[in-house]
Amino acid sequence: MAKKVLKFGGTSVGTIDRILHVANIIKKEHEANNEIIAVVSAMSGKTNDLIQQSKKISDNFNKRELDVLLSSGEQVTCALLAGALTELGLKCKSWLNWQIPILTEGENLNARIINMSILKINEFLSQKGIVIIPGFQGISRDGDVTTIGRGGSDATAVAIAKIFNSDTCEIYTDVDGVYSTDPNKIPVAKKIEKISYDEMLELSSLGAKVMQPSAVQTAMMYNIPLEVKSTFTNRKGTKIFNQDNNIDYTKSVTGVAYSKDDAKITILSVADKPGVAANIFEPLSKNQINVDMVIQNISSDLRTTDITFTIKRDDVAKTINILENNRNIKYDDINYNDKVSKVSIVGAGMVSTPGVTYKMFRSLADENINILAISTSEIKLSVIINEDDTLKAVKKLHTIFELD
Ligand code: ADP
Ligand code: ASP
Ligand code: MG
């Protein structure tokens, strides 16, 4: 007997037929004598629909109420799945965020799970009951409903695996594992049998939507092994775990990721003296604007410089507004390009393979792709390029690093 956390994503519960199919997966696991906690997402598209509805009222919809609205998607799937399991003759119950409760801290739309109450649920599990819990949400100390960021049901599943000390945490989704790049965009992508937390964290932070980054981070912190697998086939999935002593260095690059929600801002001719960069970035950080890459060019007069940095595309208007109202900086002009994307190669084997950087730049040049910014770490190399070149770049890098 094992205690299992099974998480089902939006596509997996996207229709009534699929919910019935998921109920059968859970039934089999339960009949194999396992204790099951199922974590569910909203039906695919539902959370986006709810956001669109709020936007029809205001682009600046009250965040507390937005969390009440967005959390409703998961409530629907919880009830439908629990109802379906009951129809199959199984003992089953859904628990909503406030009924458990799942305690969070942090601001609305971006809260973090910090604890939850386990007694009632453990008791129900010990009576052979199946537990269904909504992903993506919790309640604050004040009792307000909160959500924990897009794709957050992954993080709920990992938090539950940790707090309930489960034996497995299985992420059921619409692909049968983690691939070398998005298999829906690049069909020659290859499934990765096992991957380290570090590599998975880089891939997901750099755009591989298959796992949510904060879920991977929590799993890494508490050493919770994850398995990503398909709701629709029985093929073996991908195991994500600590591979400190077991890293496969035969391949320099494990995967290629990309994100298309980036923007690049350049401030022209700011003074080249101590404190200027701090004056630029301090108000951005105070306003929760996440700056990704920063490049500074020395200008020919050696007195002024241009500073370029990248941010999320949604933050462009806010960032420019902050810069324009910043009395502590002087510059000639600000320009921006919000049609850029970030393409990254990730691999623990990169550290020990010389020439990876050169190979990446050469192959992009061969495709006539201009690099607008570069950032590196031990196990990843990212470039900002024009958005139109994204898939061409991903394909080329996938081939050149022998991942096809
Ligand atoms: P869920 O709704 O189950 O949480 P998501 O849509 O969040 O599923 O994540 C699964 C999707 O992630 C896949 O359909 C695939 O298009 C995308 N994806 C992006 N990069 C990768 C990758 N490297 N491996 C697998 N899937 C990926
Ligand atoms: N329904 C939420 C979202 O679409 C959470 C999730 O699916 O993981 O972001
Ligand atoms: Mg997801």
Side-chain angles (χ1 to χ4, degrees):
M1 188 185 81
K3 187 183 259 184
K4 293 191 168 192
V5 173
L6 311 179
K7 180 258 170 177
F8 296 92
T11 314
S12 307
V13 292
T15 62
I16 295 297
D17 277 348
R18 288 181 177 176
I19 290 178
L20 295 173
H21 175 68
V22 165
N24 276 302
I25 295 177
I26 294 176
K27 181 171 186 246
K28 266 195 211 127
E29 288 284 358
H30 184 255
E31 284 171 352
N33 218 8
N34 297 311
E35 288 185 344
I36 306 297
I37 304 178
V39 176
V40 290
S41 289
M43 294 165 97
S44 54
K46 188 68 205 174
T47 311
N48 287 342
D49 285 351
L50 293 169
I51 291 173
Q52 286 316 315
Q53 285 183 16
S54 75
K55 287 203 164 143
K56 285 185 193 153
I57 293 174
S58 166
D59 264 340
N60 216 356
F61 198 86
N62 180 280
K63 286 186 174 174
R64 179 188 184 276
E65 302 312 327
L66 193 52
D67 270 350
V68 176
L69 181 68
L70 298 191
S71 62
S72 68
E74 274 72 11
Q75 176 165 346
V76 172
T77 33
C78 269
L80 289 172
L81 181 58
L85 284 158
T86 311
E87 283 302 310
L88 292 175
L90 298 164
K91 177 171 168 162
C92 175
K93 199 161 147 183
S94 67
W95 265 273
L96 299 184
N97 57 52
W98 54 272
Q99 292 173 311
I100 299 174
I102 301 175
L103 193 65
T104 64
E105 68 180 13
E107 60 194 89
N108 281 100
L109 298 174
N110 199 18
R112 285 174 309 282
I113 296 176
I114 50 169
N115 210 346
M116 59 187 96
S117 192
I118 60 171
L119 280 177
K120 283 179 288 185
I121 288 177
N122 270 338
E123 194 185 325
F124 191 70
L125 286 170
S126 69
Q127 297 160 359
K128 303 248 173 286
I130 297 169
V131 174
I132 316 289
I133 292 179
F136 177 54
Q137 57 200 271
I139 59 166
S140 69
R141 280 190 208 283
D142 299 334
D144 283 344
V145 172
T146 54
T147 63
I148 61 171
R150 296 305 306 271
S153 300
D154 293 339
T156 304
V158 173
I160 289 177
K162 151 91 179 64
I163 293 168
F164 283 85
N165 200 12
S166 73
D167 297 292
T168 70
C169 182
E170 302 173 23
I171 309 291
Y172 280 84
T173 184
D174 56 1
V175 284
D176 58 5
V178 178
Y179 278 70
S180 50
T181 192
D182 187 343
N184 289 327
K185 292 288 180 332
I186 310 284
V188 290
K190 259 206 307 239
K191 188 157 70 187
I192 301 167
E193 208 181 304
K194 49 187 187 164
I195 185 167
S196 65
Y197 291 124
D198 302 277
E199 288 176 305
M200 190 66 239
L201 184 56
E202 288 287 7
L203 282 175
S204 55
S205 307
L206 295 167
K209 192 180 165 223
V210 61
M211 278 301 304
Q212 194 222 25
S214 70
V216 182
Q217 204 169 22
T218 309
M220 176 157 91
M221 201 180 332
Y222 296 107
N223 206 1
I224 300 165
L226 305 175
E227 187 173 352
V228 178
K229 48 164 52 168
S230 164
T231 305
F232 307 111
T233 71
N234 287 325
R235 276 180 233 131
K236 239 169 97 188
T238 298
K239 291 202 156 66
I240 307 169
F241 58 100
N242 190 348
Q243 290 175 34
D244 273 355
N245 307 317
N246 192 16
I247 293 175
D248 176 9
Y249 286 112
T250 51
K251 267 214 160 98
S252 54
V253 174
T254 304
V256 185
Y258 65 93
S259 65
K260 281 182 152 188
D261 51 358
D262 300 85
K264 178 175 80 85
I265 293 193
T266 303
I267 313 176
L268 295 161
S269 298
V270 287
D272 189 11
K273 61 177 191 198
V276 170
N279 287 344
I280 293 173
F281 292 112
E282 189 185 354
L284 298 182
S285 108
K286 279 195 176 141
N287 283 283
Q288 268 90 42
I289 299 211
N290 229 332
V291 174
D292 186 13
M293 303 180 192
V294 181
I295 303 157
Q296 178 169 334
N297 304 314
I298 305 285
S299 75
S300 48
D301 65 7
L302 295 178
R303 263 178 288 140
T304 61
T305 170
D306 299 341
I307 291 187
T308 297
F309 58 93
T310 64
I311 51 171
K312 289 285 160 225
R313 196 172 290 174
D314 283 349
D315 288 336
V316 168
K318 191 171 163 190
T319 303
I320 289 183
N321 188 26
I322 293 169
L323 292 172
E324 285 177 348
N325 287 302
N326 185 342
R327 296 220 178 117
N328 293 323
I329 50 169
K330 289 203 174 65
Y331 52 84
D332 278 355
D333 204 357
I334 297 175
N335 60 40
Y336 72 92
N337 179 352
D338 63 356
K339 302 269 180 306
V340 300
S341 68
K342 181 161 69 174
V343 175
S344 312
I345 55 175
V346 172
M350 271 166 61
V351 199
S352 52
T353 321
V356 174
T357 314
Y358 163 75
K359 206 165 157 184
M360 180 174 192
F361 295 165
R362 180 79 265 157
S363 57
L364 293 175
D366 288 347
E367 292 293 308
N368 217 0
I369 296 170
N370 195 23
I371 299 172
L372 307 173
I374 301 163
S375 114
T376 63
S377 81
E378 265 200 336
I379 66 164
K380 74 121 205 269
L381 219 161
S382 300
V383 292
I384 296 284
I385 59 173
N386 283 320
E387 186 177 3
D388 290 345
D389 290 329
T390 313
L391 283 185
K392 190 160 81 166
V394 174
K395 263 189 206 142
K396 179 74 181 186
L397 295 171
H398 200 268
T399 305
I400 217 85
F401 288 105
E402 294 162 29
L403 298 170
D404 289 1

